[in-house]
Amino acid sequence: MFVSLSSANAETAKGSSNFMRRTIARTVTGVAIVAGLVAACGSEGENGAAGSSGTNGTASSAAGAPSSGAPASSGTGTGDAGQAGGEAAQKVTAAIQQALQQSPIIFTTESAELSEKSKTALGEIAKAMQGNDVKIAVATHAGYPDAEKSKALSEKRAEAITAALEAAGVTKDRVKTEATGNEKAQGDKALDTQITVAQ
């Protein structure tokens, strides 16, 4: 009885031992699988992240390159044109500043007639506008208390400037006028004209 109990206990212990070994082996295997999955997910995440900025980014830019192969060159062309446009705009801006410093476009009271100096200044601006498509904005004013009268005179002043530029080779569509009347300037300030490169 004692012996058979011992052997039963030994069998149970042996069975338990085997069971424990199998459980440990399964646990270790499970942990290894989980670790492997975590590592795989982690590397996929990294690849995904790298993919969006790296592999896939490269693939999409590589894919983008062929699809935008022609646009890429036209994109570069657009960039060059943009840069050229920027340089032209800077050139025209510099010419405007220089011309207006030498001879501001100022009208006499109640007049829309340009002085010879003003015409010369506009001629210099027109020269700078040759060979490019830069547009300019011209703001004219008139300081009458009567808003309608001011608006009408500032419009005539804008037309006089546009006509002078047109005579110097600048088409009307490249001159954006803003006849403000007495809204933005009064008194002597209303006799002055602002010219800038149009945005």
Side-chain angles (χ1 to χ4, degrees):
M1 180 90 179
F2 179 74
V3 173
S4 66
L5 186 59
S6 290
S7 66
N9 284 343
E11 282 298 318
T12 305
K14 188 175 175 184
S16 284
S17 173
N18 285 340
F19 176 76
M20 287 294 285
R21 279 192 203 130
R22 280 195 303 258
T23 304
I24 289 170
R26 283 182 190 149
T27 305
V28 169
T29 304
V31 168
I33 290 169
V34 169
L37 287 172
V38 168
C41 289
S43 67
E44 275 180 26
E46 287 167 13
N47 287 344
S52 42
S53 63
T55 312
N56 289 346
T58 310
S60 57
S61 45
S67 65
S68 64
S73 56
S74 74
T76 310
T78 307
D80 292 346
Q83 189 176 0
E87 287 171 9
Q90 286 175 358
K91 179 186 168 188
V92 174
T93 298
I96 290 170
Q97 289 171 348
Q98 188 175 359
L100 295 182
Q101 275 177 353
Q102 289 174 358
S103 179
I105 312 297
I106 297 177
F107 291 92
T108 57
T109 307
E110 298 185 22
S111 171
E113 283 189 40
L114 289 163
S115 68
E116 286 306 313
K117 281 187 175 182
S118 292
K119 287 178 184 176
T120 302
L122 289 169
E124 291 302 313
I125 293 168
K127 269 186 204 172
M129 293 174 73
Q130 301 303 319
N132 59 59
D133 59 356
V134 175
K135 296 182 181 182
I136 60 171
V138 176
T140 53
H141 320 282
Y144 293 116
D146 183 328
E148 283 185 25
K149 196 175 178 182
S150 290
K151 185 77 170 173
L153 181 57
S154 63
E155 282 172 357
K156 284 182 183 176
R157 289 174 173 176
E159 286 167 15
I161 290 169
T162 304
L165 287 166
E166 199 173 6
V170 177
T171 56
K172 268 187 183 180
D173 64 323
R174 295 179 65 195
V175 183
K176 178 186 171 187
T177 58
E178 183 188 8
T180 68
N182 62 7
E183 294 169 14
K184 295 187 178 179
Q186 287 82 33
D188 289 343
K189 288 183 179 178
L191 300 173
D192 198 8
T193 301
Q194 289 77 46
I195 301 177
T196 56
V197 168
Q199 297 302 315

